[in-house]
Structures are given as structure tokens and as C-alpha cells.
Amino acid sequence: MSEGRVTEARARACANIALVKYWGKRDAARNLPAAGSLSLTLGALVTETTVRFDPGLSVDTMQLDDLPARPTDLAKVIAFLDLVRAQAGITTRAHVASRNHFPTASGLASSASGYAALAVAATTAAGIAMSPRALSQLARHGSGSAARSIYGAFVRMHAGHANDGSDAYAEPITSRLADRVRMVIAVVGGGAPKPQLSRGAMEHTAETSPLYRAWLDVVPHDLAVAEGALAAADLPALGAIAEANALAMHASAIAARPAIIYWQPPTLALLALVRDLRARGASAWATMDAGPHVKILTTLDEAEAIADAVRRVPGVTDVLISGPGPGAGTVST
Ligand code: PMV
């Protein structure tokens, strides 16, 4: 890009929900995960981000859902833009406008879609072409889960071993299950901002939880089972390992000192409902992230009936149904 003129690009990315969770880092400065993870990108949870490099700006600015970004969010975005500027060999400041089409910062993974969309929009506006793998590595600096949102449907994130993070990237996994699965998302508590952001919470878990080691030990097993289930298009096997893995992640966080408890009473009621539905023959498995919401993995055919059952649980304020979504990409401005 020429430093002298305004350049702009817009990108869209979908959030993803991990079926084998990322919870813990091996390098905080480079934001390298301690273990791999595996996720499903969701078409109903979309972030759209526009980046405009403008020689007339003296500082970076950002609007999130039409409001000025909070200073802590802006500082992270500036650090991310600095990475892009360094790669592009420019110093131009930018204006970023991002819009989430779902509740922000509520445990519905807005950082994943946000940084994936920002990676695509910022590199395009800066005039640098990047492979999807390189984009996943760039997005990872903003948020570990964002690396996965570069791709659609089922995605595997590799923790890697290299100190420079060159082997920590995401890649897509093809599975016939992509045509059949749905996620029913039960929003608990109105999508209010969550009390503890995942970045600090996973560091606190790693430092203080007596169960953290056991959590890290089980992830490679859970990844192997999940990948086998995807290869065999075996939804019950995928669902069972996803639910078990989410419970193990939360157990490690709950055992931190002081405890990190994301669950609220409706969360437990939803977990009981999911077990009950399963006992009656339904395809339904639960997973939870850094918030009180419950995401239920199910089939295209059963999603509506499960959503109806979920809506009747007191404390559930919204229910979304999503199928797999596409990878991140540019859209016209
Ligand atoms: O990408 P982060 O730093 O927001 O962490 C994501 C953590 C979980 O959502 C709880 C798990 C995951 O793998 O997405």
C-alpha cells in the first residue's frame, strides 16, 4: 500500500464454539496455546469489521457496535494493528469499525470472530496477501480462539512446539457431519457482560488450580477421539467427548483458588435438561465457555424441538439455532 492514501477493507467472520477447549497458554506474550483445540464455526454468529488506514489520523480509533471502544479493547486492537503495520512496512494509523450480530463479551466468543475479521480486513487494507494459515497465526495474537474462525465448519488448532509460534496454526477438518449438525445456543442472563475474561481466567487456572495438570493431560486424548468421530461421521461420539471435555475444562477452573465459576442456576438446569433429553433418545450434548450460556450440539432434524424445550427453562433469555458457518473473508464496502 502507498503510505500517502486512504485504503479500506471490510471483512466478515463467524464465531466458533470449541468442542475440545483451549484453556491455558504455553507462552503468554505470543499467545501460544498449551494444548490443541477443535471447534465448529457458526454461521449465525457474525462479526463485520471495516479497517480504514488514513494518513490523516494521528492515532488509531475504534468503534464497536457504534460506540467508541473501551480503552482496554482499543489498546489490544492497537497492538494487533502494530503487528499488521510491521508486516506491511507502514506506520499509517487506522479507524476500525466492528459490529457483532450477537451479544458482545458474554461468552458467545465475540473475540474469535472479532479478531478473525480484523485480521482479514486489516491485512487487506494494508495491501498484504496472506495464506489462510498465516491469517490464523496472525488472528491468534488477538485471541487464541480467533485462529479457528479463519476457517469454516470443523477446525483443528495445533498448539505446536516452536518458540516463535510458527507451528501453532489452525486448519479445517472435513467431515460429513458438517451437513447434519446444528448448535442450539441458550443465552442465560440476557447476554450481560461476563465477570471474568477468558485470558486472565485461564492464566489464573494454570497458576492456582490443582486440576490444571490433569486438564492438560486429557486434551490430547479428547482431540484424538473428536477427530476419530469426525472422520467416522459419528455424532454421538463427538457429542459425548465434547460434553466431557467442557466439564473437565470447567472443573479445572472451578478448582482454581479463588474459584472461577461461570455457571449460573439456569446453566445447571440446562445441563440437566440435556441429560434428560438424551435419556429419552434425543441427540443432544452440552458445552459451555467463559460464560453462563449453554450450547447444545444436535442434529438439523432435532434442533427446533430442542430449542422449544430450552426456551421453557427459567432464566433462558434468548435461544439461537446455528448451522456451520463459512471461514473469514472480505466483503465489498
Ligand atoms: O480465545 P480466548 O482467549 O477468548 O479463549 C477462548 C476460551 C474458550 O472459549 C473458553 C475455549 C475455546 O477454545 O474457545
Side-chain angles (χ1 to χ4, degrees), residues 93-173:
R93 303 289 125 186
H95 177 65
V96 176
S98 192
R99 184 181 290 280
N100 288 316
H101 297 281
F102 54 95
T104 304
S106 59
L108 284 184
S110 58
S111 68
S113 50
Y115 277 99
L118 183 61
V120 173
T123 52
T124 307
I128 42 179
M130 275 196 183
S131 67
R133 179 174 293 189
L135 281 168
S136 83
Q137 289 173 306
L138 174 64
R140 190 204 72 231
H141 286 276
S143 148
S145 53
R148 300 185 310 238
S149 275
I150 295 297
Y151 297 101
F154 294 107
V155 181
R156 165 81 200 265
M157 174 73 193
H158 298 278
H161 301 286
N163 287 340
D164 64 358
S166 54
D167 54 358
Y169 58 84
E171 63 184 349
I173 307 177

Side-chain angles (χ1 to χ4, degrees), residues 16-25 31 36-39 76 107 109-112 140 142-148 194 197-200 202 249-250 262 288-291 295:
N16 69 77
I17 300 297
L19 302 175
V20 177
K21 305 290 182 192
Y22 153 53
W23 195 250
K25 301 177 197 297
N31 211 25
S37 56
L38 188 151
S39 57
K76 280 189 67 186
S110 58
S111 68
R140 190 204 72 231
S143 148
S145 53
R148 300 185 310 238
K194 61 192 169 188
L197 293 171
S198 50
R199 185 175 282 237
M202 64 175 79
M249 181 210 112
H250 282 271
Y262 288 113
M288 297 79 61
D289 294 286
K295 296 100 181 189

Side-chain angles (χ1 to χ4, degrees), residues 291-302:
H293 321 298
V294 177
K295 296 100 181 189
I296 303 169
L297 183 68
T298 183
T299 62
L300 169 63
D301 296 341
E302 293 164 276

